[in-house]
Amino acid sequence: MKKTLLALAALAMLGGCAPEAPALHIVPAPLSVQMARGTFDVQGISLNCDPAMDARSAGAVQRFADELSLACGKACEVSEDGRGMRFVQDDSIAPEAYSISIRRSAAEVRASGFSGFLYAIQTLRQMLPVAVYGTEADPAAGWRLPCCDISDAPRFGYRGLMLDCCRHFFSVDEVKKVLDAMAVYKLNRFHWHLSEDQGWRIQIDKYPRLTEVGAWRNGTMIRNDWDSNDGIRYGGFYTKDQIRDIIAYADERGITIVPEIDLPGHMQAALASYPELGCKGSKPQPYEVWTVWGVSRQVLNVGSEKTMRFLEDVLGEVADLFPGEYIHIGGDECPRDEWKTDPLCQAKIRELGLKDSDGVSAEARLQNYVTARMQKFLAGKGKKIIGWDEILEGELAEGATVMSWRGTKGGIKASSQGYDVIMAPTTYCYLDYIQSTDLEHEPFSISHNWATPETVGKAAVTLEKLYGYEPLAEIPEEARGHILGVQCNLWTEYIATPEHLEYMLFPRVLALSELQWCAPERKDFRRFKSDLSAHALPMLDELGINYRKLDQ
Ligand code: TNX
């Protein structure tokens, strides 16, 4: 008895974890958990689907049943009757919310649609032995769910992760592996960065040279030596069929893809493919797919109608391919030096009557014109735009969504002006930044370019720092409704392999998931860390995902 009390006291001290939930280690932590006595044996149960349930939700239940059958070594079938787990369609429950009630003899899941059922299943999976994620039967693993009542709903609707597949290319299978993990942690937006100076990664039928030429670079700089080149031709791209496959795969996991075509800067690979779209004329071949990192001064010639047609054609194909409501059109880091001397850009500036005013140059206003034109074009295709916070400089048309990356000020300004915002500030959300202060032992990262032993503390995005981010902290009360959510970005200049990619993602994505999902009062870093040790990290092992070990 004394021992039990001591153990309980120790548990309570371990991060003040909610006393009602000593046995669960669910990430992101559910809104409310009430434990009851006993357990529910899932080996050989049947899963009953409400006839009112839609086919997609029933499909998710079927996949869960198949997974359970395999892992526990005893068939768990979807059927009308039998002892089991009921999935009930309940229209009174909010779209992404769900409830789970487990007793010794039965279990019940309630949701109003696909996302809710899916998240309930993800929660149930995390309550089972990690073998549920595996590919082999483990009948002795202890296939029981603890009796409890859970009700859960997310804090933010947009729960994103961005992957740069341009600086380095990741295969369809690797992208799917990332999507699998995102689904476990209830992330629902995959922002896919598909065009860059260093490589164009998406098949565009009307412009085949984008992938014939633009997807390949003649080598890559080595670490932070800008004069070097490893001499290895590098590249790759996704065909439309592969992209459709990835879209369907994501959709089954409740994830919508936000494709990004970064314009009008970060376009050197497109310029190498079609030099006539640039400001330099087209002969002799003036551009190459970039082999070094940084911000290229070579940008699209937006004074030319030919360039506008190109952009509309490309975005048109992207809009036809991706079913989601958002297309990201970039807009970041576009030096405008070339536009200052280009006759077509200057003629366009005169035609539009753009002036230097209020600290905004005529050339910056020319970029506003491009943004507005693409926004209008995409609206005609039923799509909304997202852009990096640079699109806020000058005039921005209503209905655009701003992704705040240069700190939080862009997000504060945009939301105060009535634009929707996704928070992704470098200081907390950049997963390409070093994960600890150990410059010597961490793999080479972008932070190694500028951090010194004295400054690395500030540069590092540690698990704890990310976890501690409060996205609404500086947002005025009345603007808070415009914060759609939070996203982490993984830029891959220095990340060339899947193992390294996973190391940078995990376990930081789990911290991200809690700040996207949980109300601030539900967050607790010590409890979170103990959840990782108890369940999440063994689960990543089971999935064969590489991750950074926790600091002791
Ligand atoms: C800034 S974030 C960029 C990227 C780089 C990243 C490196 C943003 C919109 N642009 O092009 O890869 O920094 O951290």
Side-chain angles (χ1 to χ4, degrees), residues 12-24:
M13 275 162 61
L14 240 172
C17 92
E20 77 273 18
L24 303 185

Side-chain angles (χ1 to χ4, degrees), residues 96 155-160 188-189 325-326 384-386 399-402 415 419-423 471-472 479-487 516:
E96 294 195 298
R155 181 182 187 198
F156 293 109
Y158 184 110
R159 301 182 298 279
N188 65 358
R189 296 287 186 282
E325 67 171 329
Y326 289 111
K384 298 206 265 188
I385 61 156
I386 303 179
T401 296
V402 174
S415 58
Y419 298 103
D420 284 346
V421 167
I422 295 147
M423 298 303 288
L472 300 185
R480 292 188 169 177
H482 284 295
I483 308 298
L484 303 182
V486 191
Q487 175 171 297
Q516 292 171 327

Side-chain angles (χ1 to χ4, degrees), residues 110-432:
R110 289 181 167 264
S112 59
F114 177 65
S115 305
F117 286 115
L118 198 67
Y119 297 145
I121 289 170
Q122 295 299 1
T123 295
L124 290 165
R125 289 169 98 204
Q126 289 196 38
M127 292 163 72
L128 289 165
V130 292
V132 75
Y133 299 101
T135 49
E136 279 167 33
D138 187 359
W143 294 96
R144 283 181 299 278
L145 287 165
C147 293
C148 63
D149 290 291
I150 297 177
S151 74
D152 200 8
R155 181 182 187 198
F156 293 109
Y158 184 110
R159 301 182 298 279
L161 178 68
M162 188 221 72
L163 186 60
D164 168 11
C165 289
C166 300
R167 271 54 176 271
H168 284 99
F169 179 73
F170 295 93
S171 69
V172 168
D173 284 346
E174 185 59 26
V175 170
K176 286 183 175 176
K177 201 171 170 192
V178 171
L179 292 169
D180 277 333
M182 285 175 66
V184 170
Y185 299 109
K186 304 183 175 95
L187 275 69
N188 65 358
R189 296 287 186 282
F190 177 61
H191 170 176
W192 200 3
H193 190 72
L194 288 167
S195 71
E196 258 305 337
D197 297 314
Q198 297 86 359
W200 185 280
R201 303 283 175 238
I202 170 174
Q203 176 190 345
I204 299 293
D205 298 328
K206 205 156 180 191
Y207 297 88
R209 287 174 61 82
L210 287 172
T211 42
E212 286 163 11
V213 175
W216 309 94
R217 64 176 179 254
N218 285 323
T220 304
M221 66 179 272
I222 301 165
R223 291 200 161 200
N224 52 355
D225 178 0
W226 264 263
D227 296 322
S228 66
N229 184 311
D230 66 9
I232 304 166
R233 192 166 155 81
Y234 184 90
F237 65 92
Y238 307 98
T239 65
K240 284 195 172 168
D241 280 344
Q242 288 174 323
I243 290 174
R244 280 186 204 103
D245 177 40
I246 288 178
I247 292 169
Y249 193 86
D251 184 62
E252 247 182 26
R253 285 154 185 76
I255 299 166
T256 305
I257 301 185
V258 178
E260 180 185 356
I261 301 297
D262 199 349
L263 64 97
H266 287 282
M267 271 283 173
Q268 204 174 305
L271 292 172
S273 316
Y274 296 96
E276 63 271 27
L277 303 174
C279 297
K280 287 183 159 185
S282 54
K283 287 194 195 88
Q285 169 64 308
Y287 301 105
E288 61 159 10
V289 181
W290 222 16
T291 59
V292 299
W293 314 130
V295 178
S296 170
R297 312 235 136 232
Q298 306 186 333
V299 302
L300 289 178
N301 186 339
V302 296
S304 148
E305 268 313 297
K306 199 187 270 170
T307 308
M308 290 297 128
R309 241 183 349 250
F310 165 79
L311 289 177
E312 292 182 352
D313 289 341
V314 168
L315 291 176
E317 288 193 31
V318 170
D320 291 344
L321 188 57
F322 289 90
E325 67 171 329
Y326 289 111
I327 306 247
H328 200 304
I329 61 162
D332 61 314
E333 300 176 325
C334 179
R336 294 146 192 151
D337 321 52
E338 289 189 326
W339 297 352
K340 287 205 172 106
T341 51
D342 181 83
L344 288 177
C345 290
Q346 288 304 313
K348 193 55 137 186
I349 283 173
R350 280 193 301 278
E351 180 195 321
L352 297 168
L354 305 178
K355 300 264 177 320
D356 293 347
S357 59
D358 307 323
V360 180
S361 68
E363 285 75 22
R365 295 187 187 282
L366 187 61
Q367 186 173 340
N368 295 154
Y369 146 81
V370 181
T371 306
R373 207 165 142 177
M374 295 309 126
Q375 181 177 4
K376 198 163 163 210
F377 172 77
L378 285 169
K381 299 221 151 229
K383 305 288 186 188
K384 298 206 265 188
I385 61 156
I386 303 179
W388 299 109
D389 57 39
E390 283 92 335
I391 66 170
L392 262 182
E393 290 160 25
E395 306 259 308
L396 178 62
E398 211 178 296
T401 296
V402 174
M403 198 166 260
S404 184
W405 73 277
R406 295 174 301 174
T408 52
K409 55 188 188 309
I412 298 166
K413 183 172 162 201
S415 58
S416 305
Q417 292 178 4
Y419 298 103
D420 284 346
V421 167
I422 295 147
M423 298 303 288
T426 51
T427 27
Y428 298 96
C429 294
Y430 269 42
L431 301 185
D432 54 335

